[in-house]
Amino acid sequence: MVALREPDQPATHPFALRGFRGLAAASTSTVALLARTFLPSSLAAGDGTRMVQAEFVSGNYFNVLRLEPQHGRFFDEDDDRPAAPIAVVLSDRLWRTRFGGDKAVVGRVMRVNGRAVTVAGIAPVDFVGATRLVHADLWCPAAVYAEMARTADADAVPIFGVIGRLADGITRLEAAERLTGALAAVTGAGSTRSMVVVTEATGFGHPAARPAVTGLSTAAYVLMGLLIAVASANVAALMLARTVGRQPELAIRVSLGASRWQVARTLVVECAMLAWLGSAGGAIVALWLTQALVAQVDTPFEYVTYALDVRPDLRVLFSATVAAAAAVVICSLAPLRAVSRIDLQGLLSAGPTPGGSPGPLRLFHALVIVQLAASTVLLLAAGVVTRSYLHAQDRSVSVDTRGLISGTLTLSNPAARPLREADGLLARLADPIARLPGVGGVAWSRESVLGSGRSIRITGESPTAAMRAPLVAMEFRVSAAYAQVVGLDVIQGRGLDGWQLPDSRRVVVNSAMAHRLAADGSAVGRRFTSTDGDTEPFEVVGVVSDFFRDSAERLTTPTFYRALPADLHGQVTVIVRANGALSSIVGDVRRAVQAVDADIAVADLQSVEALLEIRARQQRLPTLVFGVVGGAALLLSTVGLFGVMAYGVRRRAREIGVLQALGASPSEIRRQVLGRGFAVVGVALLLGLGVAAAARVVAHSAVFGLAPISLDVVILVCGVLLLASGLALALPARWAARVDPATLIRRP
């Protein structure tokens, strides 16, 4: 992976196609470079027009990746020219699902974004694209990207990711140095930009994505590491208790000639058997669980499919093996320490002593503290993630979504229709849709109805107390019927109806933005300007209700609505208010659009309620994962606490009998046992809370939208842990209070 780095900027950037071509031509002796970028496109074939995920790539794409076509041929550098006939390559999945695996599709003429293309070949079966993250449906030459994207100067926009294959004998650092020199030669001697080269062995995908991937991977490994620590401490405590109980037997073995190493080796083998059996069972569960989790990861876009490969490879198996070996070592330390301290003479002469030294108990308590502290961290993490999810759920839609349908349309190629006619096209599309039975209204938006608009920093011409600093607001470009169809209420001024295209500087704001512009009066007539370079002011002509309703008004995103631009092109969102059966209306809308223009693809046409459910399911997934891991840690810790306290009570059985003989009541014995147990729990809670607070500070800067560790979450987690600990301590305390002192004191 190759990326640009600007001076004094840690983030890297992709390439513009024009700059890539110059760099690739100047560095052929160092690395063979290819360029690629995604562009959702319409594919019109015999079965209609549908949206596909198209990847626009340089002509040497398949050659650098060393692929062979399944059928036909790949396009090459000669095809990657603006004047050349457009050749495309279909993915195996698209070829089989849409064309039934018919080999005759090679050579057939189709239309992509209204342009005639010829199918040159079929990609290999398992090839999903160079990114290996999102399935590509077809590949087009990069030379036609500007025309397909309907952007006049797309060749100068930095949107192309670059991948290369190093020449023989060239290292990554050498390649970065040579590419930086080639870049300076291409762009001029004054260039201060440098090149970043990341190989498979040294990074995670594209350099720009490395921080996010590294942060996510680190969080996952820390999460699992804490759970492994809980399990290892639990097993170590159980093995230590078993070893201490077997000291007379082990002493006899040593007296009969067995070395301490031989005795210790037996214990290590027992620990290893536990670790390997547990790892084997965990691997089987992991194979099923990862598939089940990935099945829950979907997108609201029907043309976007993740290509997540969760099958374990040798690196994953090696990591699991190392983890299992580490568990063996951790679980063996305590038993080995007990074996090394066997008092051979004392055990053989006096026999088993119910009391014993407090050393093992202190180690037991330390192991329990580790378990409970790790459980505290995991449960707090689960609480924070759950709170973040609940906050996201609090950001509910304030409009009536019943009967609301949304979809994406890809407008036809501008070569067949001037851009100035885009508004006329939408009017001709809206008319047959509005006449459909059960349709109550049609509106258009450049942005998705549930998505975020373009983020703009603005400042008021007369700043109010609520707007001391520049405000980040979302800009939506919509049609006049948008508020009526979506269900936004007009609060002040006028709504969106009556808009004309010249009214591009007159805007309607939501109530959250109106409050920021004029907290103590009417926002109508207020003016604000963008701080992003657009100095012409906007004038507020009306206020509408918020689309999203947050739990706190100050959290509602400020939003303003503008008229659709006259030169609208690319994709547009259609919003339909339906009064009948949604399934039949969805099909009718598709057919109505196709009847107007067969080159327009209609994608993701579904109810807004279905989109909300998809979004909620995506937000529930991390909550489920953290909840399961935290619950597992709590269960293990509770079992470990019970085992340790039960063992400690039995070791102190004679001491407890003496206390009862001297007049201690059962309630006093019970309080003593519970006091010792809750003292261990208290230390663990304090340690866990401290670790969690430190981890929260680190995670806050890396995870957007992460809720703080609030007092109610802390109280809930502490309450759950104390309740579980109380249940674990209840049985040992009850047993201690019921011992018969006469029996214990008479016991030899």
Side-chain angles (χ1 to χ4, degrees), residues 200-272:
E200 262 197 329
T202 60
F204 305 96
H206 196 278
R210 187 194 299 184
V213 176
T214 304
L216 182 62
S217 301
T218 302
Y221 271 96
V222 169
L223 191 71
M224 296 301 108
L226 288 173
L227 191 58
I228 290 176
V230 172
S232 298
N234 202 338
V235 175
L238 295 175
M239 292 299 296
L240 177 59
R242 187 167 183 268
T243 302
V244 172
R246 293 174 57 192
Q247 280 188 341
E249 170 201 340
L250 299 178
I252 293 175
R253 291 188 179 188
V254 172
S255 67
L256 294 177
S259 66
R260 292 180 184 264
W261 162 245
Q262 289 175 319
V263 174
R265 185 174 58 188
T266 302
L267 300 178
V268 171
V269 170
E270 292 178 357
C271 291

Side-chain angles (χ1 to χ4, degrees), residues 247-328:
Q247 280 188 341
E249 170 201 340
L250 299 178
I252 293 175
R253 291 188 179 188
V254 172
S255 67
L256 294 177
S259 66
R260 292 180 184 264
W261 162 245
Q262 289 175 319
V263 174
R265 185 174 58 188
T266 302
L267 300 178
V268 171
V269 170
E270 292 178 357
C271 291
M273 289 298 297
L274 286 174
W276 292 119
L277 289 174
S279 299
I284 295 173
V285 173
L287 291 175
W288 168 81
L289 185 59
T290 49
Q291 296 286 350
L293 288 176
V294 169
Q296 299 297 316
V297 180
D298 55 3
T299 71
F301 309 107
E302 62 185 30
Y303 56 89
V304 177
T305 305
Y306 290 124
L308 300 176
D309 184 4
V310 296
R311 294 171 297 180
D313 58 9
L314 292 179
R315 290 173 294 184
V316 174
L317 294 176
F318 176 76
S319 300
T321 302
V322 171
V328 171

Side-chain angles (χ1 to χ4, degrees), residues 398-420:
S398 61
V399 302
D400 184 9
T401 58
R402 292 173 298 179
L404 200 60
I405 299 173
S406 172
T408 302
L409 274 62
T410 298
L411 303 184
S412 300
N413 192 283
R417 178 182 294 102
L419 292 177
R420 301 292 300 185

